[in-house]
Amino acid sequence: MFDLKDVGFRTEGKTAKSLLSGITVSFPTRAFSAIVGHNGSGKSTLLKILARKYRQFDGNIQMGGIALEDRSIRDFAREVAYLPQNPTVPPHLTVRELVGFGRYPWRGAFGRYRADDYEKIDQAMALTHVDDIATRLVASLSGGERQRVWLAMLLAQDAPVLLLDEPTSALDVGHQRDILHLVSDLKNTIGLTVIAVLHDIDMVGRFADHILALRHGKTCWQGTAHNFMQAETLGKIYDADIGVIPVPHSNISVSYIA
């Protein structure tokens, strides 16, 4: 879906510095890709570039064989849905109203919704299991409920690509698992391409198909979840002595600091 070649990014001004350099990677279509690495390694910066929040970058990015900068804003919004870290919670919106904002790229700010828009909204709420709380205020929801509502808004956008910036950072471990399980299921059932910035090693190993690891703004490793959940690989990425234990009778492994 996204093909990057020698992508770099620098801040501007007197204190300009390089945040990314020489990133070359292809994010596979209809797969769950995770971007991992130390704090400050450039993970969110790279995701924002893919989301076109940062327009000035070095190198080349193609999406579906077309240069990223050649896509119109509206067409891009119909193909890519982006969820930032800690999105602002609107105080007076119900769940259904917020999910309805996902139709903005199709109808504009003042466009009249049609039957297919309401169908997309209903479908998105059903897929994320928030249809039973449709009339509640988003601000009144728990963290796990709120995150499912944000996902529903992205699904209502009907974009085939989801970009998620630390979607589980404020959740306890149980809700982290539930959200990533939901995202993984959606990828499989409706053919989404997912690229997410994640921190939890074990969750990455359990749910990601493809992993890109950054360190000091550069690629330090990329590969599959099986090869990621190896002590040598994790040690290289995180510069720490990390052990890995396979869970019996499963394809899951868990990590620990040795």
Side-chain angles (χ1 to χ4, degrees):
M1 180 58 70
F2 284 103
D3 294 297
L4 288 68
K5 185 175 181 180
D6 293 328
V7 171
F9 180 81
R10 293 181 59 85
T11 59
E12 298 179 350
K14 294 182 179 180
T15 59
K17 63 178 181 178
S18 175
L19 298 182
L20 292 172
S21 176
I23 305 296
T24 296
V25 61
S26 291
F27 290 104
T29 304
R30 296 186 178 181
F32 189 153
S33 295
I35 304 174
V36 304
H38 285 291
N39 290 338
S41 60
K43 302 182 298 297
S44 293
T45 299
L46 180 58
L47 199 73
K48 287 176 181 177
I49 290 173
L50 296 181
R52 295 181 68 173
K53 302 302 178 183
Y54 295 148
R55 298 296 188 92
Q56 302 298 320
F57 58 86
D58 299 323
N60 178 265
I61 300 178
Q62 293 197 342
M63 180 183 167
I66 301 174
L68 195 61
E69 61 269 22
D70 290 342
R71 292 181 174 272
S72 72
I73 294 175
R74 186 170 187 177
D75 286 346
F76 181 80
R78 290 179 173 183
E79 294 190 58
V80 178
Y82 168 66
L83 183 64
Q85 292 183 41
N86 305 315
T88 302
V89 179
H92 304 301
L93 285 183
T94 66
V95 167
R96 186 177 180 82
E97 288 169 338
L98 180 60
V99 175
F101 282 149
R103 301 305 296 162
Y104 175 82
W106 300 91
R107 296 291 172 254
F110 303 105
R112 179 175 295 179
Y113 282 12
R114 304 170 184 171
D116 60 321
D117 294 305
Y118 294 116
E119 183 179 342
K120 292 291 184 183
I121 293 168
D122 289 339
Q123 182 184 51
M125 290 195 297
L127 285 170
T128 52
H129 314 298
V130 297
D131 43 346
D132 59 337
I133 56 173
T135 60
R136 287 182 57 186
L137 293 176
V138 177
S140 72
L141 302 178
S142 68
E145 291 172 328
R146 197 175 294 171
Q147 205 66 355
R148 283 190 285 124
V149 172
W150 288 116
L151 286 175
M153 186 187 73
L154 300 191
L155 292 184
Q157 192 171 327
D158 204 24
V161 181
L162 302 187
L163 303 179
L164 311 175
D165 195 353
E166 299 190 31
T168 60
S169 61
L171 304 179
D172 60 54
V173 66
H175 283 107
Q176 288 182 36
R177 178 205 58 210
D178 292 345
I179 290 296
L180 294 179
H181 198 290
L182 173 60
V183 171
S184 182
D185 281 349
L186 291 170
K187 175 215 55 171
N188 293 328
T189 55
I190 60 180
L192 293 174
T193 298
V194 179
I195 304 174
V197 172
L198 297 174
H199 278 288
D200 190 287
I201 292 172
D202 297 337
M203 295 295 177
V204 172
R206 181 171 179 177
F207 293 106
D209 305 305
H210 168 260
I211 298 152
L212 171 69
L214 301 181
R215 191 170 184 189
H216 304 308
K218 299 179 180 180
T219 300
C220 69
W221 186 86
Q222 59 178 301
T224 65
H226 173 74
N227 293 324
F228 175 74
M229 293 300 290
Q230 305 291 329
E232 182 179 353
T233 302
L234 295 176
K236 177 182 178 181
I237 295 171
Y238 294 101
D239 192 25
D241 191 3
I242 301 175
V244 177
I245 302 175
V247 177
H249 312 298
S250 77
N251 60 354
I252 299 172
S253 296
V254 294
S255 63
Y256 64 93
I257 299 294

